Amino acid sequence: MKQGAHSPDLHTHLLNALRNGELTPGQRLPTERSFADQFGISRGAVQRVLQDLEEKGLILRKVGSGTFVSDRLDSAVETFDHGVDITRGNLAEHVEARAAFEPWVVATAARYANSEHKQELRARLERVANPEDWLDYKEGVYQFFRLLYEITENSFLLHIFDLIIKAREDVRYGGERPKTRVSLVIRNNMVRSLEAIAEPIEQNNPEKAEAASREFLDKMILSVNT
Amino acid sequence: MKQGAHSPDLHTHLLNALRNGELTPGQRLPTERSFADQFGISRGAVQRVLQDLEEKGLILRKVGSGTFVSDRLDSAVETFDHGVDITRGNLAEHVEARAAFEPWVVATAARYANSEHKQELRARLERVANPEDWLDYKEGVYQFFRLLYEITENSFLLHIFDLIIKAREDVRYGGERPKTRVSLVIRNNMVRSLEAIAEPIEQNNPEKAEAASREFLDKMILSVNT
DNA sequence: AAGTGGTCTAGACCACCGA
DNA sequence: CGGTGGTCTAGACCACTTT
């Protein structure tokens, strides 16, 4: 819990009650106004707490009828306790998740890439090969893969990808921006890997593209675990 | 935009400015207090608008220093315009997303399932075979797959799966709960499909499990497109 | 008609940042 | 130090649901 955040009394009280099973799924909670009275806080403060719990799937609020304990309380509590916020999460899980769906994305991109896509893919590969600095390099790699997600035209997967990238950046540098150059060895290694993915896409060869994607992600998993 | 929601004047004004490129990445916005004066609304209302835009990645707020246009404005605007809210979305994209990563999940589950997992999987399959009503049937199918995600111990993917399911339920019944029975044909069909997935998992055979998962999802994709 | 959550207001204090 | 966003307050009106 953050400091000075969201009326901690009511928040922890509700959270404990939900975890202990004092509140059962579907059960109706007291009204916002009565919570405000009970805890000696304003209705606005109560609302912020309830809004937070609703976003986390623990409760449900219905205009005109009341606030209720979520039907799927167990699962919600579990993901809550896991601290899964989709904007957080640990690196290993994110890489693993990419390993789960990115080969499909790459294969699909290889299937549907047109000449315009291919040209753009080349351009983005160029940027990775000759980046201005470390940040530009990272962004370039991200843009390379993002294009593949765009080609699939599945905005849901694209969004998930963006979330993963965003989460990682938040972790890595909290505002400072390292202007270091990128090691030539690392860069060439990356370019080779991306090239191996780009080439079968240019030839509209889904099988080869998928294999190259798997190989790339296997390397990433290795580097994460060391 | 919802009705009566979040001071639409300021909201659309900022959105247009961000889209038109009047505001450039990194640029500093006016203060909350000055927005409140300009638009003749309270500071609280301004904050709710800014909070909304920040959650969507369009702007950044820093205590003590100000509000700024996001560095990755282009991508944020794009996903925003896509209307991607992760809690909404269209059915086809969600099914497609599952097709992208669920085979990996099933294969991984087959790799690591222990006897306890297998027993639980049987139990959940039983529920699908003999549901109390339509709702119980749906929940049973969901629980079957959810267990597979749990076995992988990747809370990120589990969370994504939960989000997809939650989105679908919100769409399907907006509060009413159909108590209809489940057609015997449909039910048996589903049980056969799940059986085909469960069996290779019990034998710890990832390849067969993955193939069964693909087959199941192919059917789902077909049924969505008809 | 009465009660509920959704939103807004005007004002206040705080922790934090930059000069 | 003054300015900024973060939070809270007490009160109000609204649209909606339930009785």
Side-chain angles (χ1 to χ4, degrees):
Chain A
M1 210 63 230
K2 272 185 297 183
Q3 277 189 352
H6 291 322
S7 318
D9 278 356
L10 174 60
H11 194 272
T12 58
H13 169 261
L14 279 174
L15 217 49
N16 285 337
L18 288 165
R19 264 197 276 255
N20 298 347
E22 292 172 35
L23 301 172
T24 55
Q27 180 181 341
R28 189 181 157 172
L29 294 179
T31 69
E32 297 180 348
R33 287 162 176 88
S34 78
F35 267 140
D37 286 346
Q38 265 187 53
F39 286 80
I41 59 182
S42 75
R43 204 188 135 207
V46 173
Q47 280 178 314
R48 283 184 282 272
V49 170
L50 295 183
Q51 207 159 13
D52 182 57
L53 296 179
E54 184 179 32
E55 274 168 25
K56 279 159 179 144
L58 296 168
I59 62 174
L60 222 82
R61 301 153 84 204
K62 292 184 186 172
V63 187
S65 71
T67 303
F68 304 84
V69 178
S70 167
D71 282 337
R72 216 192 315 288
L73 180 61
D74 49 345
S75 120
V77 167
E78 192 177 321
T79 52
F80 176 85
D81 285 340
H82 245 96
V84 182
D85 204 342
I86 218 171
T87 57
R88 313 249 165 75
N90 75 53
L91 177 56
E93 286 193 338
H94 286 164
V95 175
E96 201 174 60
R98 279 184 69 179
F101 54 74
E102 203 160 286
W104 179 92
V105 170
V106 172
T108 305
R111 205 163 274 127
Y112 298 112
N114 59 32
S115 58
E116 216 171 309
H117 293 141
K118 294 171 188 174
Q119 196 176 336
E120 179 62 23
L121 195 63
R122 270 291 143 196
R124 301 200 182 185
L125 190 52
E126 263 316 297
R127 180 181 182 185
V128 176
N130 305 296
E132 289 176 15
D133 56 14
W134 188 82
L135 211 65
D136 195 49
Y137 168 77
K138 282 283 168 198
E139 178 71 15
V141 174
Y142 160 66
Q143 289 294 346
F144 176 88
F145 282 107
R146 196 171 192 284
L147 178 60
L148 304 183
Y149 283 79
E150 286 168 11
I151 294 175
T152 69
E153 291 183 359
N154 187 311
S155 61
F156 183 73
L157 281 173
L158 178 59
H159 189 222
I160 292 175
F161 179 69
D162 276 344
L163 286 175
I164 291 179
I165 299 300
K166 183 176 172 345
R168 297 263 58 80
E169 287 181 352
D170 286 350
V171 172
R172 234 183 305 235
Y173 38 85
E176 322 149 51
R177 1 198 89 217
K179 279 277 183 186
T180 334
R181 283 201 154 280
V182 188
S183 144
L184 193 69
V185 177
I186 290 181
R187 198 203 310 163
N188 281 342
N189 225 313
M190 176 63 80
V191 171
R192 254 199 308 280
S193 291
L194 299 190
E195 181 81 47
I197 293 173
E199 201 175 325
I201 288 178
E202 285 168 343
Q203 299 162 359
N204 294 103
N205 186 333
E207 289 79 16
K208 267 202 179 174
E210 184 171 344
S213 169
R214 282 192 203 285
E215 202 171 320
F216 173 74
L217 288 159
D218 280 348
K219 276 189 219 163
M220 277 195 71
I221 289 176
L222 263 181
S223 74
V224 166
N225 292 334
T226 50
Chain B
M1 210 65 231
K2 271 185 299 183
Q3 279 187 351
H6 291 320
S7 317
D9 278 356
L10 174 59
H11 194 271
T12 59
H13 169 261
L14 280 174
L15 217 48
N16 285 337
L18 287 165
R19 264 198 277 254
N20 298 346
E22 292 173 34
L23 301 172
T24 55
Q27 181 181 343
R28 189 182 157 169
L29 294 179
T31 68
E32 296 181 350
R33 287 164 178 87
S34 77
F35 268 138
D37 286 347
Q38 265 188 53
F39 286 80
I41 58 180
S42 74
R43 206 186 133 211
V46 173
Q47 281 179 313
R48 282 183 283 272
V49 171
L50 295 183
Q51 206 159 12
D52 182 58
L53 295 178
E54 184 179 31
E55 273 168 25
K56 277 157 179 147
L58 296 169
I59 62 175
L60 223 81
R61 300 153 85 206
K62 291 183 187 173
V63 187
S65 68
T67 302
F68 304 84
V69 179
S70 167
D71 283 335
R72 214 197 307 294
L73 180 60
D74 49 347
S75 124
V77 167
E78 194 175 321
T79 51
F80 177 85
D81 284 338
H82 244 94
V84 182
D85 203 345
I86 218 169
T87 57
R88 310 251 164 74
N90 77 53
L91 177 55
E93 287 196 338
H94 287 165
V95 174
E96 201 174 58
R98 278 184 69 179
F101 54 75
E102 203 159 285
W104 179 92
V105 170
V106 173
T108 305
R111 208 163 271 125
Y112 298 112
N114 59 32
S115 57
E116 216 171 309
H117 293 142
K118 294 171 189 175
Q119 197 177 336
E120 179 63 22
L121 196 63
R122 270 291 142 196
R124 302 201 180 183
L125 190 54
E126 263 314 297
R127 180 182 180 183
V128 176
N130 305 296
E132 290 177 14
D133 55 15
W134 188 82
L135 211 65
D136 195 48
Y137 167 77
K138 282 284 168 197
E139 177 73 13
V141 174
Y142 161 67
Q143 289 294 345
F144 176 88
F145 284 107
R146 196 172 192 283
L147 178 60
L148 304 183
Y149 283 79
E150 286 168 9
I151 295 175
T152 68
E153 290 183 358
N154 187 312
S155 61
F156 182 74
L157 280 173
L158 178 59
H159 189 223
I160 292 175
F161 178 69
D162 275 343
L163 287 175
I164 291 178
I165 299 299
K166 182 177 174 342
R168 294 265 59 81
E169 286 181 352
D170 286 350
V171 172
R172 230 177 312 229
Y173 36 85
E176 322 149 51
R177 359 197 92 217
K179 278 278 183 186
T180 333
R181 284 202 154 279
V182 188
S183 142
L184 194 68
V185 177
I186 291 181
R187 197 204 308 164
N188 281 341
N189 225 313
M190 175 63 81
V191 171
R192 253 200 307 280
S193 292
L194 299 190
E195 182 81 46
I197 293 173
E199 202 176 325
I201 289 177
E202 286 169 342
Q203 299 161 0
N204 294 103
N205 186 333
E207 289 78 16
K208 268 202 177 173
E210 186 171 342
S213 168
R214 283 191 202 286
E215 201 170 319
F216 173 74
L217 288 159
D218 281 348
K219 276 189 220 163
M220 277 194 71
I221 288 176
L222 263 181
S223 73
V224 166
N225 292 333
T226 51

mmCIF file of all heavy atoms in Angstrom, chain B residues 121-122 125-126 144 188-202 212:
data_model
loop_
_atom_site.group_PDB
_atom_site.id
_atom_site.type_symbol
_atom_site.label_atom_id
_atom_site.label_comp_id
_atom_site.label_asym_id
_atom_site.label_seq_id
_atom_site.Cartn_x
_atom_site.Cartn_y
_atom_site.Cartn_z
ATOM 1 N N LEU B 121 -8.313 -32.097 -12.579
ATOM 2 C CA LEU B 121 -8.772 -31.920 -13.962
ATOM 3 C C LEU B 121 -9.953 -32.835 -14.259
ATOM 4 O O LEU B 121 -10.938 -32.434 -14.889
ATOM 5 C CB LEU B 121 -7.618 -32.202 -14.931
ATOM 6 C CG LEU B 121 -7.813 -31.714 -16.361
ATOM 7 C CD1 LEU B 121 -7.928 -30.202 -16.403
ATOM 8 C CD2 LEU B 121 -6.662 -32.170 -17.261
ATOM 9 N N ARG B 122 -9.858 -34.067 -13.778
ATOM 10 C CA ARG B 122 -10.960 -35.030 -13.932
ATOM 11 C C ARG B 122 -12.234 -34.495 -13.295
ATOM 12 O O ARG B 122 -13.324 -34.557 -13.859
ATOM 13 C CB ARG B 122 -10.590 -36.360 -13.257
ATOM 14 C CG ARG B 122 -9.898 -37.360 -14.123
ATOM 15 C CD ARG B 122 -10.809 -37.932 -15.198
ATOM 16 N NE ARG B 122 -10.054 -38.108 -16.438
ATOM 17 C CZ ARG B 122 -10.595 -38.288 -17.625
ATOM 18 N NH1 ARG B 122 -11.921 -38.314 -17.757
ATOM 19 N NH2 ARG B 122 -9.855 -38.415 -18.694
ATOM 20 N N LEU B 125 -13.781 -31.820 -15.318
ATOM 21 C CA LEU B 125 -14.384 -32.381 -16.522
ATOM 22 C C LEU B 125 -15.752 -32.978 -16.192
ATOM 23 O O LEU B 125 -16.715 -32.835 -16.962
ATOM 24 C CB LEU B 125 -13.449 -33.454 -17.103
ATOM 25 C CG LEU B 125 -13.783 -33.998 -18.481
ATOM 26 C CD1 LEU B 125 -13.933 -32.876 -19.477
ATOM 27 C CD2 LEU B 125 -12.667 -34.948 -18.944
ATOM 28 N N GLU B 126 -15.840 -33.612 -15.034
ATOM 29 C CA GLU B 126 -17.094 -34.193 -14.563
ATOM 30 C C GLU B 126 -18.199 -33.150 -14.486
ATOM 31 O O GLU B 126 -19.343 -33.377 -14.874
ATOM 32 C CB GLU B 126 -16.897 -34.815 -13.173
ATOM 33 C CG GLU B 126 -16.647 -36.301 -13.197
ATOM 34 C CD GLU B 126 -17.607 -37.034 -14.125
ATOM 35 O OE1 GLU B 126 -18.828 -36.997 -13.858
ATOM 36 O OE2 GLU B 126 -17.146 -37.618 -15.123
ATOM 37 N N PHE B 144 -12.242 -25.535 -16.164
ATOM 38 C CA PHE B 144 -11.386 -26.559 -16.764
ATOM 39 C C PHE B 144 -10.115 -25.929 -17.339
ATOM 40 O O PHE B 144 -8.998 -26.328 -17.019
ATOM 41 C CB PHE B 144 -12.163 -27.299 -17.862
ATOM 42 C CG PHE B 144 -11.357 -28.322 -18.615
ATOM 43 C CD1 PHE B 144 -11.274 -29.628 -18.164
ATOM 44 C CD2 PHE B 144 -10.666 -27.981 -19.777
ATOM 45 C CE1 PHE B 144 -10.529 -30.585 -18.847
ATOM 46 C CE2 PHE B 144 -9.915 -28.913 -20.464
ATOM 47 C CZ PHE B 144 -9.848 -30.215 -19.996
ATOM 48 N N ASN B 188 -22.162 -32.954 -25.074
ATOM 49 C CA ASN B 188 -21.317 -34.107 -25.389
ATOM 50 C C ASN B 188 -20.165 -33.732 -26.311
ATOM 51 O O ASN B 188 -19.055 -34.238 -26.165
ATOM 52 C CB ASN B 188 -22.156 -35.209 -26.037
ATOM 53 C CG ASN B 188 -22.933 -35.984 -24.999
ATOM 54 O OD1 ASN B 188 -22.577 -35.935 -23.806
ATOM 55 N ND2 ASN B 188 -23.974 -36.678 -25.433
ATOM 56 N N ASN B 189 -20.449 -32.846 -27.229
ATOM 57 C CA ASN B 189 -19.413 -32.365 -28.114
ATOM 58 C C ASN B 189 -18.282 -31.709 -27.329
ATOM 59 O O ASN B 189 -17.095 -31.984 -27.545
ATOM 60 C CB ASN B 189 -20.024 -31.353 -29.083
ATOM 61 C CG ASN B 189 -19.553 -31.596 -30.494
ATOM 62 O OD1 ASN B 189 -18.359 -31.779 -30.701
ATOM 63 N ND2 ASN B 189 -20.476 -31.604 -31.438
ATOM 64 N N MET B 190 -18.674 -30.843 -26.409
ATOM 65 C CA MET B 190 -17.686 -30.151 -25.584
ATOM 66 C C MET B 190 -16.893 -31.139 -24.738
ATOM 67 O O MET B 190 -15.669 -31.062 -24.659
ATOM 68 C CB MET B 190 -18.410 -29.133 -24.686
ATOM 69 C CG MET B 190 -17.499 -28.424 -23.702
ATOM 70 S SD MET B 190 -16.218 -27.412 -24.515
ATOM 71 C CE MET B 190 -17.160 -25.928 -24.898
ATOM 72 N N VAL B 191 -17.601 -32.082 -24.130
ATOM 73 C CA VAL B 191 -16.923 -33.059 -23.280
ATOM 74 C C VAL B 191 -15.887 -33.839 -24.085
ATOM 75 O O VAL B 191 -14.776 -34.084 -23.612
ATOM 76 C CB VAL B 191 -17.937 -34.026 -22.633
ATOM 77 C CG1 VAL B 191 -17.213 -35.177 -21.939
ATOM 78 C CG2 VAL B 191 -18.813 -33.279 -21.638
ATOM 79 N N ARG B 192 -16.254 -34.190 -25.294
ATOM 80 C CA ARG B 192 -15.301 -34.927 -26.147
ATOM 81 C C ARG B 192 -14.044 -34.085 -26.404
ATOM 82 O O ARG B 192 -12.928 -34.575 -26.323
ATOM 83 C CB ARG B 192 -15.966 -35.293 -27.478
ATOM 84 C CG ARG B 192 -16.307 -36.777 -27.605
ATOM 85 C CD ARG B 192 -16.503 -37.203 -29.044
ATOM 86 N NE ARG B 192 -17.469 -36.374 -29.769
ATOM 87 C CZ ARG B 192 -18.795 -36.514 -29.664
ATOM 88 N NH1 ARG B 192 -19.301 -37.451 -28.884
ATOM 89 N NH2 ARG B 192 -19.613 -35.723 -30.329
ATOM 90 N N SER B 193 -14.257 -32.821 -26.705
ATOM 91 C CA SER B 193 -13.120 -31.930 -26.971
ATOM 92 C C SER B 193 -12.224 -31.795 -25.744
ATOM 93 O O SER B 193 -10.995 -31.867 -25.837
ATOM 94 C CB SER B 193 -13.615 -30.548 -27.401
ATOM 95 O OG SER B 193 -14.237 -30.630 -28.669
ATOM 96 N N LEU B 194 -12.855 -31.601 -24.598
ATOM 97 C CA LEU B 194 -12.072 -31.437 -23.369
ATOM 98 C C LEU B 194 -11.356 -32.737 -23.021
ATOM 99 O O LEU B 194 -10.206 -32.737 -22.572
ATOM 100 C CB LEU B 194 -12.977 -30.993 -22.217
ATOM 101 C CG LEU B 194 -13.702 -29.661 -22.407
ATOM 102 C CD1 LEU B 194 -14.357 -29.217 -21.097
ATOM 103 C CD2 LEU B 194 -12.750 -28.582 -22.897
ATOM 104 N N GLU B 195 -12.057 -33.817 -23.245
ATOM 105 C CA GLU B 195 -11.455 -35.144 -23.015
ATOM 106 C C GLU B 195 -10.182 -35.302 -23.847
ATOM 107 O O GLU B 195 -9.153 -35.779 -23.361
ATOM 108 C CB GLU B 195 -12.471 -36.225 -23.401
ATOM 109 C CG GLU B 195 -11.997 -37.654 -23.157
ATOM 110 C CD GLU B 195 -12.179 -38.049 -21.707
ATOM 111 O OE1 GLU B 195 -13.265 -37.787 -21.149
ATOM 112 O OE2 GLU B 195 -11.229 -38.619 -21.141
ATOM 113 N N ALA B 196 -10.278 -34.855 -25.099
ATOM 114 C CA ALA B 196 -9.134 -34.975 -26.002
ATOM 115 C C ALA B 196 -7.943 -34.161 -25.510
ATOM 116 O O ALA B 196 -6.785 -34.462 -25.816
ATOM 117 C CB ALA B 196 -9.525 -34.525 -27.402
ATOM 118 N N ILE B 197 -8.238 -33.122 -24.750
ATOM 119 C CA ILE B 197 -7.150 -32.317 -24.182
ATOM 120 C C ILE B 197 -6.672 -32.918 -22.878
ATOM 121 O O ILE B 197 -5.468 -32.974 -22.599
ATOM 122 C CB ILE B 197 -7.635 -30.854 -23.951
ATOM 123 C CG1 ILE B 197 -7.916 -30.174 -25.290
ATOM 124 C CG2 ILE B 197 -6.611 -30.071 -23.157
ATOM 125 C CD1 ILE B 197 -8.541 -28.801 -25.164
ATOM 126 N N ALA B 198 -7.617 -33.385 -22.076
ATOM 127 C CA ALA B 198 -7.280 -33.896 -20.745
ATOM 128 C C ALA B 198 -6.441 -35.170 -20.812
ATOM 129 O O ALA B 198 -5.508 -35.356 -20.030
ATOM 130 C CB ALA B 198 -8.563 -34.143 -19.949
ATOM 131 N N GLU B 199 -6.779 -36.016 -21.781
ATOM 132 C CA GLU B 199 -6.105 -37.325 -21.837
ATOM 133 C C GLU B 199 -4.585 -37.220 -22.043
ATOM 134 O O GLU B 199 -3.814 -37.760 -21.252
ATOM 135 C CB GLU B 199 -6.742 -38.182 -22.938
ATOM 136 C CG GLU B 199 -6.506 -39.675 -22.710
ATOM 137 C CD GLU B 199 -7.237 -40.504 -23.765
ATOM 138 O OE1 GLU B 199 -8.343 -40.071 -24.180
ATOM 139 O OE2 GLU B 199 -6.714 -41.535 -24.174
ATOM 140 N N PRO B 200 -4.130 -36.503 -23.070
ATOM 141 C CA PRO B 200 -2.678 -36.377 -23.220
ATOM 142 C C PRO B 200 -2.005 -35.669 -22.048
ATOM 143 O O PRO B 200 -0.826 -35.913 -21.764
ATOM 144 C CB PRO B 200 -2.521 -35.574 -24.511
ATOM 145 C CG PRO B 200 -3.843 -34.975 -24.789
ATOM 146 C CD PRO B 200 -4.860 -35.876 -24.168
ATOM 147 N N ILE B 201 -2.767 -34.818 -21.362
ATOM 148 C CA ILE B 201 -2.187 -34.164 -20.185
ATOM 149 C C ILE B 201 -1.950 -35.201 -19.097
ATOM 150 O O ILE B 201 -0.924 -35.211 -18.426
ATOM 151 C CB ILE B 201 -3.112 -33.041 -19.667
ATOM 152 C CG1 ILE B 201 -3.087 -31.860 -20.646
ATOM 153 C CG2 ILE B 201 -2.696 -32.597 -18.281
ATOM 154 C CD1 ILE B 201 -4.015 -30.731 -20.267
ATOM 155 N N GLU B 202 -2.913 -36.105 -18.944
ATOM 156 C CA GLU B 202 -2.763 -37.165 -17.939
ATOM 157 C C GLU B 202 -1.587 -38.069 -18.256
ATOM 158 O O GLU B 202 -0.979 -38.672 -17.370
ATOM 159 C CB GLU B 202 -4.062 -37.983 -17.861
ATOM 160 C CG GLU B 202 -5.168 -37.211 -17.143
ATOM 161 C CD GLU B 202 -6.519 -37.892 -17.296
ATOM 162 O OE1 GLU B 202 -6.669 -38.726 -18.206
ATOM 163 O OE2 GLU B 202 -7.422 -37.562 -16.513
ATOM 164 N N ALA B 212 -4.362 -31.182 -29.593
ATOM 165 C CA ALA B 212 -5.771 -31.204 -29.211
ATOM 166 C C ALA B 212 -6.276 -29.791 -28.926
ATOM 167 O O ALA B 212 -7.407 -29.434 -29.280
ATOM 168 C CB ALA B 212 -5.962 -32.086 -27.983
#
